[in-house]
Coordinates of all heavy atoms in Angstrom, one line a residue:
M1 N 23.3 23.9 -25.9 CA 22.2 23.0 -25.7 C 21.5 22.8 -27.0 O 21.2 23.8 -27.8 CB 21.3 23.6 -24.7 CG 20.5 22.6 -23.9 SD 19.7 23.3 -22.5 CE 18.0 23.3 -23.0
P2 N 21.1 21.6 -27.3 CA 20.3 21.3 -28.6 C 19.0 22.0 -28.6 O 18.4 22.2 -27.5 CB 20.2 19.8 -28.6 CG 20.5 19.3 -27.3 CD 21.3 20.3 -26.5
A3 N 18.6 22.4 -29.8 CA 17.3 23.1 -30.0 C 16.1 22.2 -29.5 O 15.1 22.7 -29.0 CB 17.1 23.6 -31.4
T4 N 16.3 20.9 -29.7 CA 15.2 20.0 -29.4 C 15.8 18.6 -29.2 O 16.9 18.3 -29.6 CB 14.2 19.9 -30.6 OG1 13.5 18.7 -30.5 CG2 14.9 20.0 -31.9
D5 N 15.1 17.7 -28.4 CA 15.5 16.4 -28.2 C 15.4 15.5 -29.4 O 16.0 14.5 -29.6 CB 14.6 15.7 -27.1 CG 14.9 16.2 -25.7 OD1 16.0 16.9 -25.5 OD2 14.1 16.0 -24.8
N6 N 14.6 16.0 -30.4 CA 14.4 15.3 -31.6 C 15.3 15.9 -32.7 O 15.4 17.1 -32.9 CB 13.0 15.4 -32.2 CG 12.0 14.7 -31.2 OD1 12.3 13.7 -30.7 ND2 10.8 15.3 -31.0
L7 N 16.1 15.0 -33.4 CA 16.9 15.5 -34.5 C 16.0 15.8 -35.7 O 16.2 16.8 -36.4 CB 18.0 14.5 -34.8 CG 19.0 15.0 -35.9 CD1 19.7 16.2 -35.5 CD2 19.9 13.9 -36.3
V8 N 15.1 14.9 -35.9 CA 14.2 15.0 -37.1 C 12.7 15.0 -36.6 O 12.4 14.2 -35.7 CB 14.4 13.8 -38.1 CG1 13.4 13.9 -39.2 CG2 15.8 13.8 -38.6
E9 N 11.9 16.0 -37.1 CA 10.5 16.0 -36.8 C 9.7 16.2 -38.1 O 9.9 17.1 -38.8 CB 10.2 17.2 -35.8 CG 10.8 17.0 -34.5 CD 10.7 18.2 -33.6 OE1 10.8 19.4 -34.1 OE2 10.4 18.0 -32.4
V10 N 8.9 15.2 -38.4 CA 8.1 15.2 -39.5 C 6.7 15.5 -39.0 O 6.1 14.6 -38.3 CB 8.1 13.9 -40.3 CG1 7.2 13.9 -41.5 CG2 9.6 13.6 -40.8
D11 N 6.1 16.6 -39.4 CA 4.9 17.1 -38.7 C 3.7 17.2 -39.7 O 3.7 18.1 -40.5 CB 5.2 18.5 -38.1 CG 4.1 19.0 -37.2 OD1 3.1 18.3 -37.0 OD2 4.3 20.2 -36.8
N12 N 2.9 16.2 -39.7 CA 1.6 16.2 -40.5 C 1.9 16.5 -42.0 O 1.3 17.4 -42.6 CB 0.7 17.2 -39.9 CG -0.8 17.0 -40.2 OD1 -1.1 15.8 -40.6 ND2 -1.6 17.9 -40.1
V13 N 2.8 15.7 -42.5 CA 3.3 16.0 -43.9 C 2.5 15.3 -44.9 O 2.2 14.1 -44.8 CB 4.8 15.6 -44.0 CG1 5.2 15.4 -45.5 CG2 5.7 16.7 -43.3
N14 N 2.1 16.0 -45.9 CA 1.5 15.5 -47.2 C 2.5 15.7 -48.3 O 3.2 16.8 -48.3 CB 0.3 16.2 -47.6 CG -0.9 15.9 -46.7 OD1 -0.8 15.2 -45.7 ND2 -2.1 16.3 -47.2
F15 N 2.6 14.8 -49.2 CA 3.4 15.1 -50.4 C 2.8 14.4 -51.6 O 2.4 13.3 -51.6 CB 4.9 14.5 -50.2 CG 5.7 14.8 -51.4 CD1 6.2 16.1 -51.6 CD2 5.8 13.9 -52.4 CE1 7.0 16.4 -52.8 CE2 6.6 14.1 -53.6 CZ 7.1 15.4 -53.7
A16 N 2.8 15.1 -52.7 CA 2.3 14.6 -54.0 C 3.3 14.9 -55.1 O 3.9 16.0 -55.1 CB 1.0 15.2 -54.3
Y17 N 3.5 14.0 -56.0 CA 4.2 14.3 -57.2 C 3.1 14.7 -58.2 O 2.3 13.9 -58.5 CB 4.9 13.0 -57.8 CG 6.2 12.6 -57.0 CD1 6.1 11.4 -56.2 CD2 7.3 13.3 -57.0 CE1 7.2 11.0 -55.4 CE2 8.5 12.9 -56.3 CZ 8.4 11.8 -55.5 OH 9.5 11.4 -54.8
D18 N 3.2 15.9 -58.6 CA 2.1 16.5 -59.4 C 0.8 16.2 -58.6 O 0.7 16.7 -57.5 CB 2.0 15.9 -60.8 CG 3.1 16.5 -61.7 OD1 3.4 17.7 -61.6 OD2 3.8 15.7 -62.4
R19 N -0.2 15.5 -59.2 CA -1.4 15.3 -58.5 C -1.5 14.0 -57.8 O -2.6 13.6 -57.3 CB -2.6 15.5 -59.5 CG -2.5 16.9 -60.1 CD -3.6 17.1 -61.1 NE -4.9 17.3 -60.5 CZ -6.0 17.5 -61.2 NH1 -5.9 17.7 -62.5 NH2 -7.1 17.6 -60.6
R20 N -0.4 13.2 -57.9 CA -0.4 11.9 -57.3 C 0.0 11.9 -55.8 O 1.2 12.1 -55.6 CB 0.5 11.0 -58.1 CG 0.6 9.6 -57.6 CD 0.6 8.6 -58.7 NE 0.8 7.2 -58.1 CZ 1.8 6.5 -58.2 NH1 2.9 6.9 -59.0 NH2 1.9 5.3 -57.7
Q21 N -0.9 11.8 -54.9 CA -0.5 11.9 -53.5 C 0.2 10.6 -53.1 O -0.2 9.5 -53.3 CB -1.8 12.0 -52.6 CG -1.4 12.3 -51.2 CD -2.4 13.2 -50.5 OE1 -3.5 13.2 -50.8 NE2 -1.9 13.9 -49.5
I22 N 1.4 10.8 -52.5 CA 2.2 9.7 -52.0 C 2.2 9.6 -50.5 O 2.1 8.5 -50.0 CB 3.7 10.0 -52.5 CG1 3.8 10.2 -54.0 CG2 4.6 8.8 -52.0 CD1 3.3 9.1 -54.8
L23 N 2.3 10.7 -49.8 CA 2.3 10.7 -48.3 C 1.1 11.6 -47.8 O 0.9 12.7 -48.4 CB 3.6 11.3 -47.8 CG 4.9 10.6 -48.2 CD1 6.1 11.3 -47.7 CD2 4.9 9.1 -47.8
K24 N 0.5 11.1 -46.8 CA -0.7 11.8 -46.2 C -0.6 11.8 -44.7 O -0.7 10.7 -44.1 CB -2.0 11.2 -46.7 CG -3.2 12.0 -46.4 CD -4.4 11.3 -47.0 CE -5.7 12.0 -46.6 NZ -6.9 11.3 -47.2
G25 N -0.5 13.0 -44.1 CA -0.6 13.1 -42.6 C 0.5 12.3 -41.9 O 0.2 11.7 -40.9
V26 N 1.7 12.3 -42.5 CA 2.8 11.6 -41.8 C 3.4 12.3 -40.7 O 3.8 13.5 -40.8 CB 3.9 11.3 -42.9 CG1 5.1 10.6 -42.2 CG2 3.4 10.4 -44.0
N27 N 3.5 11.7 -39.5 CA 4.2 12.2 -38.3 C 5.3 11.3 -37.9 O 5.0 10.0 -37.8 CB 3.1 12.3 -37.2 CG 2.1 13.4 -37.5 OD1 2.4 14.6 -37.4 ND2 0.9 13.0 -37.8
L28 N 6.4 11.8 -37.7 CA 7.6 11.0 -37.3 C 8.6 11.8 -36.5 O 9.0 12.9 -37.0 CB 8.2 10.4 -38.5 CG 9.6 9.6 -38.4 CD1 9.4 8.3 -37.6 CD2 10.2 9.4 -39.7
D29 N 8.9 11.4 -35.3 CA 10.0 12.0 -34.6 C 11.1 11.1 -34.4 O 10.9 9.9 -34.0 CB 9.5 12.4 -33.2 CG 8.5 13.6 -33.2 OD1 8.5 14.3 -34.2 OD2 7.8 13.8 -32.2
I30 N 12.3 11.5 -34.7 CA 13.5 10.7 -34.5 C 14.4 11.4 -33.5 O 14.9 12.5 -33.7 CB 14.3 10.5 -35.9 CG1 13.4 9.8 -36.9 CG2 15.6 9.7 -35.6 CD1 14.0 9.7 -38.3
R31 N 14.5 10.7 -32.4 CA 15.3 11.3 -31.3 C 16.8 11.3 -31.6 O 17.3 10.4 -32.3 CB 15.0 10.6 -30.0 CG 13.6 10.8 -29.5 CD 13.3 10.1 -28.2 NE 14.0 10.6 -27.1 CZ 13.6 11.7 -26.4 NH1 12.4 12.3 -26.7 NH2 14.3 12.1 -25.4
R32 N 17.4 12.4 -31.1 CA 18.9 12.5 -31.2 C 19.6 11.2 -30.8 O 19.2 10.7 -29.7 CB 19.3 13.6 -30.3 CG 20.3 14.6 -30.8 CD 20.3 15.7 -29.8 NE 19.5 16.8 -30.3 CZ 19.8 17.6 -31.3 NH1 21.0 17.4 -31.9 NH2 19.0 18.5 -31.7
G33 N 20.5 10.7 -31.6 CA 21.3 9.5 -31.2 C 20.6 8.2 -31.5 O 21.2 7.2 -31.3
R34 N 19.3 8.2 -31.9 CA 18.7 6.9 -32.2 C 18.9 6.5 -33.6 O 19.1 7.3 -34.5 CB 17.1 7.1 -32.0 CG 16.7 7.3 -30.6 CD 16.7 5.9 -29.9 NE 16.4 6.1 -28.4 CZ 15.2 6.2 -27.9 NH1 14.2 6.0 -28.7 NH2 15.0 6.3 -26.6
V35 N 18.9 5.2 -33.8 CA 19.0 4.6 -35.2 C 17.6 4.1 -35.5 O 17.0 3.4 -34.7 CB 20.0 3.5 -35.3 CG1 19.9 2.9 -36.7 CG2 21.4 4.0 -35.0
V36 N 17.0 4.6 -36.5 CA 15.6 4.3 -36.9 C 15.5 3.7 -38.3 O 16.2 4.3 -39.2 CB 14.7 5.6 -36.8 CG1 13.3 5.3 -37.3 CG2 14.7 6.1 -35.4
A37 N 14.8 2.7 -38.4 CA 14.6 2.1 -39.8 C 13.2 2.4 -40.3 O 12.2 2.4 -39.5 CB 14.7 0.5 -39.7
I38 N 13.1 2.8 -41.5 CA 11.9 3.1 -42.2 C 11.6 1.9 -43.1 O 12.3 1.7 -44.0 CB 11.9 4.4 -42.9 CG1 12.2 5.6 -42.0 CG2 10.6 4.7 -43.7 CD1 12.5 6.9 -42.6
M39 N 10.5 1.2 -42.8 CA 10.2 0.0 -43.5 C 8.8 0.1 -44.2 O 7.9 0.8 -43.8 CB 10.1 -1.2 -42.5 CG 11.4 -1.4 -41.8 SD 11.3 -2.6 -40.5 CE 11.2 -4.1 -41.5
G40 N 8.7 -0.6 -45.4 CA 7.5 -0.6 -46.1 C 7.6 -1.2 -47.4 O 8.7 -1.4 -47.9
L41 N 6.5 -1.5 -48.1 CA 6.5 -2.1 -49.4 C 7.2 -1.2 -50.4 O 7.2 0.0 -50.2 CB 5.1 -2.4 -49.8 CG 4.3 -3.5 -49.0 CD1 2.9 -3.6 -49.6 CD2 5.0 -4.8 -49.1
S42 N 7.7 -1.8 -51.5 CA 8.2 -1.0 -52.6 C 7.2 0.0 -53.1 O 6.0 -0.4 -53.3 CB 8.6 -2.0 -53.7 OG 9.1 -1.2 -54.8
G43 N 7.6 1.2 -53.2 CA 6.7 2.3 -53.7 C 5.8 2.9 -52.7 O 5.0 3.8 -53.1
C44 N 6.0 2.6 -51.4 CA 5.1 3.2 -50.4 C 5.5 4.6 -50.0 O 4.8 5.3 -49.4 CB 5.0 2.3 -49.2 SG 6.4 2.3 -48.1
G45 N 6.8 5.0 -50.4 CA 7.2 6.4 -50.1 C 8.4 6.6 -49.2 O 8.6 7.7 -48.7
K46 N 9.1 5.5 -49.0 CA 10.3 5.6 -48.1 C 11.3 6.6 -48.6 O 11.8 7.4 -47.9 CB 10.9 4.2 -47.9 CG 10.0 3.1 -47.4 CD 10.7 1.8 -47.3 CE 11.2 1.2 -48.6 NZ 10.1 0.9 -49.5
T47 N 11.7 6.4 -49.9 CA 12.7 7.3 -50.5 C 12.2 8.7 -50.5 O 12.9 9.7 -50.2 CB 13.1 6.8 -51.9 OG1 13.8 5.5 -51.7 CG2 14.1 7.8 -52.5
T48 N 10.9 8.9 -50.8 CA 10.3 10.2 -50.9 C 10.4 10.9 -49.5 O 10.8 12.1 -49.4 CB 8.8 10.1 -51.3 OG1 8.8 9.5 -52.6 CG2 8.1 11.5 -51.3
L49 N 10.2 10.1 -48.4 CA 10.3 10.7 -47.1 C 11.7 11.1 -46.8 O 11.9 12.2 -46.2 CB 9.8 9.6 -46.1 CG 9.8 10.0 -44.6 CD1 9.0 11.2 -44.3 CD2 9.3 8.8 -43.7
L50 N 12.7 10.3 -47.2 CA 14.1 10.7 -46.9 C 14.4 11.9 -47.7 O 15.2 12.8 -47.2 CB 15.0 9.5 -47.3 CG 14.9 8.2 -46.5 CD1 15.8 7.2 -47.0 CD2 15.2 8.5 -45.0
R51 N 13.9 12.1 -48.9 CA 14.2 13.3 -49.7 C 13.5 14.5 -49.1 O 14.1 15.6 -49.2 CB 13.7 13.1 -51.1 CG 14.6 12.1 -51.9 CD 14.1 12.0 -53.4 NE 15.1 11.1 -54.0 CZ 14.8 10.2 -55.0 NH1 13.5 10.1 -55.4 NH2 15.7 9.5 -55.5
L52 N 12.4 14.3 -48.4 CA 11.8 15.4 -47.7 C 12.6 15.8 -46.5 O 12.8 17.0 -46.2 CB 10.4 15.1 -47.3 CG 9.3 15.0 -48.4 CD1 8.1 14.1 -48.0 CD2 8.9 16.4 -48.8
I53 N 13.2 14.8 -45.8 CA 14.0 15.1 -44.6 C 15.3 15.8 -45.1 O 15.8 16.7 -44.4 CB 14.3 13.8 -43.8 CG1 13.0 13.3 -43.2 CG2 15.3 14.1 -42.8 CD1 13.1 11.9 -42.6
G54 N 15.8 15.4 -46.2 CA 17.1 15.9 -46.7 C 16.9 17.3 -47.4 O 17.9 17.9 -47.8
G55 N 15.7 17.7 -47.7 CA 15.4 19.0 -48.3 C 15.4 18.9 -49.8 O 15.3 20.0 -50.4
A56 N 15.5 17.8 -50.4 CA 15.5 17.7 -51.9 C 14.1 17.9 -52.4 O 13.9 18.2 -53.6 CB 16.1 16.3 -52.3
L57 N 13.1 17.6 -51.6 CA 11.7 17.8 -51.9 C 11.1 18.7 -50.8 O 11.6 18.6 -49.6 CB 10.9 16.5 -52.0 CG 11.4 15.5 -53.1 CD1 10.6 14.2 -52.9 CD2 11.1 16.1 -54.5
R58 N 10.0 19.4 -51.1 CA 9.2 20.1 -50.1 C 7.9 19.5 -49.9 O 7.2 19.2 -50.9 CB 9.1 21.6 -50.5 CG 10.4 22.3 -50.4 CD 10.3 23.7 -51.0 NE 11.6 24.3 -50.9 CZ 11.8 25.6 -50.6 NH1 10.8 26.4 -50.4 NH2 13.0 26.1 -50.5
P59 N 7.4 19.5 -48.7 CA 6.0 19.0 -48.5 C 5.0 19.9 -49.1 O 5.2 21.1 -49.3 CB 5.9 19.0 -46.9 CG 7.2 19.3 -46.4 CD 8.0 19.9 -47.4
T60 N 3.9 19.3 -49.6 CA 2.8 20.0 -50.0 C 1.9 20.6 -48.9 O 1.2 21.5 -49.0 CB 1.9 19.2 -51.0 OG1 1.6 17.9 -50.5 CG2 2.6 19.0 -52.3
R61 N 2.0 19.9 -47.7 CA 1.4 20.4 -46.5 C 2.3 19.9 -45.3 O 3.0 18.9 -45.5 CB 0.0 19.8 -46.3 CG -0.8 20.6 -45.3 CD -2.1 20.0 -45.1 NE -2.1 18.9 -44.1 CZ -3.1 18.2 -43.7 NH1 -4.3 18.4 -44.2 NH2 -3.0 17.3 -42.8
G62 N 2.3 20.6 -44.2 CA 3.0 20.2 -43.0 C 4.4 20.7 -43.1 O 4.8 21.5 -43.9
E63 N 5.2 20.2 -42.1 CA 6.6 20.7 -42.0 C 7.6 19.6 -41.6 O 7.2 18.7 -40.8 CB 6.6 21.8 -40.9 CG 7.9 22.6 -40.8 CD 7.9 23.7 -39.8 OE1 7.5 23.4 -38.6 OE2 8.2 24.8 -40.2
V64 N 8.8 19.7 -42.1 CA 9.9 18.9 -41.7 C 10.9 19.7 -41.0 O 11.4 20.7 -41.6 CB 10.5 18.1 -42.9 CG1 11.7 17.3 -42.4 CG2 9.5 17.3 -43.6
R65 N 11.3 19.4 -39.8 CA 12.3 20.1 -39.1 C 13.5 19.2 -38.8 O 13.3 18.0 -38.4 CB 11.8 20.7 -37.8 CG 10.8 21.8 -38.0 CD 10.3 22.3 -36.6 NE 9.5 21.3 -35.9 CZ 8.2 21.1 -36.1 NH1 7.5 21.8 -37.0 NH2 7.7 20.1 -35.4
V66 N 14.7 19.7 -39.0 CA 15.9 19.0 -38.7 C 16.7 19.9 -37.7 O 16.9 21.1 -38.0 CB 16.8 18.6 -39.9 CG1 18.1 18.0 -39.5 CG2 16.0 17.6 -40.8
D67 N 17.0 19.4 -36.6 CA 17.7 20.1 -35.5 C 16.9 21.4 -35.2 O 17.5 22.5 -35.0 CB 19.1 20.5 -36.0 CG 20.1 20.6 -34.8 OD1 19.7 20.2 -33.7 OD2 21.2 21.2 -35.0
G68 N 15.6 21.3 -35.2 CA 14.7 22.4 -34.9 C 14.5 23.4 -36.0 O 13.7 24.4 -35.8
Q69 N 15.1 23.2 -37.1 CA 15.0 24.2 -38.2 C 14.1 23.6 -39.3 O 14.3 22.5 -39.8 CB 16.3 24.5 -38.8 CG 17.2 25.3 -37.9 CD 18.3 26.0 -38.7 OE1 19.3 25.3 -39.0 NE2 18.2 27.3 -39.0
S70 N 13.2 24.5 -39.8 CA 12.3 24.1 -40.9 C 13.1 23.9 -42.2 O 13.8 24.8 -42.7 CB 11.2 25.1 -41.1 OG 10.5 24.8 -42.3
V71 N 13.1 22.6 -42.7 CA 14.0 22.3 -43.8 C 13.6 23.2 -45.1 O 14.5 23.6 -45.8 CB 13.9 20.8 -44.2 CG1 14.6 20.5 -45.5 CG2 14.5 20.0 -43.0
A72 N 12.3 23.4 -45.3 CA 11.9 24.2 -46.4 C 12.4 25.6 -46.4 O 12.5 26.3 -47.5 CB 10.4 24.1 -46.5
E73 N 12.7 26.1 -45.2 CA 13.2 27.5 -45.1 C 14.7 27.7 -45.2 O 15.2 28.8 -45.2 CB 12.7 28.1 -43.8 CG 11.1 28.3 -43.8 CD 10.6 28.6 -42.5 OE1 11.4 29.0 -41.5 OE2 9.3 28.6 -42.3
L74 N 15.4 26.5 -45.2 CA 16.9 26.6 -45.3 C 17.3 26.9 -46.7 O 16.7 26.6 -47.7 CB 17.5 25.3 -44.9 CG 17.3 24.8 -43.4 CD1 17.8 23.4 -43.2 CD2 18.0 25.8 -42.4
S75 N 18.4 27.6 -46.8 CA 19.1 27.8 -48.1 C 19.7 26.5 -48.5 O 19.8 25.6 -47.7 CB 20.2 28.9 -48.0 OG 21.2 28.4 -47.2
H76 N 20.2 26.5 -49.8 CA 20.9 25.2 -50.2 C 22.1 24.9 -49.4 O 22.4 23.8 -49.1 CB 21.3 25.4 -51.7 CG 20.1 25.2 -52.6 ND1 19.6 23.9 -52.9 CD2 19.4 26.1 -53.3 CE1 18.6 24.1 -53.8 NE2 18.4 25.4 -54.0
Ligands
LIG101 N1 10.1 11.7 -59.4 C1 8.9 11.0 -59.3 N2 7.8 11.4 -60.0 C2 6.7 10.8 -60.0 N3 6.4 9.8 -59.1 C3 7.4 9.3 -58.4 C4 8.7 9.9 -58.4 N4 9.5 9.2 -57.6 C5 8.8 8.3 -57.0 N5 7.5 8.3 -57.5 C6 6.4 7.4 -57.1 O1 6.1 7.7 -55.8 C7 5.8 6.5 -55.1 C8 6.8 6.3 -53.9 O2 8.1 6.2 -54.4 P1 9.4 6.0 -53.4 O3 9.4 7.0 -52.4 O4 10.5 5.9 -54.3 O5 9.0 4.6 -52.7 P2 9.9 3.5 -51.9 O6 11.3 4.2 -51.7 O7 9.2 3.3 -50.7 O8 10.0 2.3 -52.8 C9 5.9 5.4 -56.1 O9 4.6 5.1 -56.5 C10 6.8 5.9 -57.2 O10 6.4 5.4 -58.4
LIG102 MG1 13.2 3.6 -52.2

């Protein structure tokens, strides 16, 4: 049985490159099996959000979970 109905959970995430805040209080649930588009102006943080979901970046606050597991706590 799956750990959660959501494959991806972005929970109150902040992210900054150095001191430049890019994401603030982002919440996003992506249900298993759904196709979701992330839309926004150039530079608004779409690629940064994908990098947080993929584990290439870590949130400065909040948590990203994939399949119920905290991405920041996973090994490479
Ligand atoms: N490695 C980085 N270091 C510093 N700032 C970055 C870096 N990557 C992206 N940025 C800045 O973060 C903001 C969001 O970028 P990005 O997530 O690539 O936006 P999008 O994919 O929505 O166009 C932009 O202002 C961009 O200039
Ligand atoms: Mg981009």
Side-chain angles (χ1 to χ4, degrees):
M1 204 165 107
T4 157
D5 288 344
N6 295 322
L7 183 62
V8 174
E9 296 173 320
V10 177
D11 186 4
N12 204 17
V13 161
N14 287 10
F15 180 81
Y17 289 108
D18 289 319
R19 302 176 71 178
R20 178 143 180 246
Q21 185 147 31
I22 307 297
L23 303 176
K24 186 174 178 186
V26 174
N27 291 288
L28 172 69
D29 289 340
I30 301 175
R31 291 178 71 83
R32 223 170 262 285
R34 290 284 173 89
V35 176
V36 173
I38 298 169
M39 301 172 71
L41 295 176
S42 177
C44 76
K46 303 176 299 292
T47 294
T48 300
L49 180 58
L50 294 177
R51 287 183 176 143
L52 287 160
I53 293 168
L57 296 172
R58 288 176 182 215
T60 46
R61 197 185 87 180
E63 189 177 56
V64 178
R65 289 180 297 275
V66 174
D67 209 14
Q69 291 197 282
S70 174
V71 172
E73 290 169 13
L74 293 173
S75 70
H76 280 286

